[in-house]
Amino acid sequence: MTEENNSPDSAPEAAPQDAAPAKAGPDVPPDHLAIDPRSPHFDGDVLRRGVGIRFKGTQRTNIEEYSISEGWVRVQAGKTMDRKGRPLTIKLNGPVEAWFEDLGEDAPVAKAG
């Protein structure tokens, strides 16, 4: 019986600890993100949520990697592949904005500045 009583007591203690780190600040995507699993900037959990990208005022869906603070994106250069079979990318400079698509229309936007 004492074990059963301890279990419910410990459960409420665990819940506040789990709830506290959920929202530490604004819910915005990371400053630098890549879709290539070999990249050090790859984050599968963030990508599963869905990240919207606006580059130079236009919403883009073909972004391979971005950096908000440095102001650039990488996109595929057509259908060209390198010798290892990976698509070649080019780096484009300009203002970048990112947001989580699962938060809807009023999602907080991460942008430089």
Side-chain angles (χ1 to χ4, degrees), residues 55-87:
F55 178 67
K56 290 187 177 181
T58 305
Q59 189 167 346
R60 304 283 299 260
T61 58
N62 62 343
I63 305 296
E64 298 283 322
E65 184 175 3
Y66 72 84
S67 175
I68 296 171
S69 62
E70 296 175 15
W72 57 263
V73 296
R74 283 198 181 276
V75 296
Q76 280 189 348
K79 295 184 179 185
T80 309
M81 299 286 187
D82 68 4
R83 61 188 172 142
K84 295 180 181 177
R86 294 182 292 219

Side-chain angles (χ1 to χ4, degrees), residues 34-66:
I35 64 169
D36 183 6
R38 295 177 297 252
S39 171
H41 301 289
F42 175 79
D43 188 349
D45 294 332
V46 171
L47 291 172
R48 273 190 224 78
R49 287 188 67 182
V51 177
I53 303 292
R54 187 176 299 119
F55 178 67
K56 290 187 177 181
T58 305
Q59 189 167 346
R60 304 283 299 260
T61 58
N62 62 343
I63 305 296
E64 298 283 322
E65 184 175 3
Y66 72 84

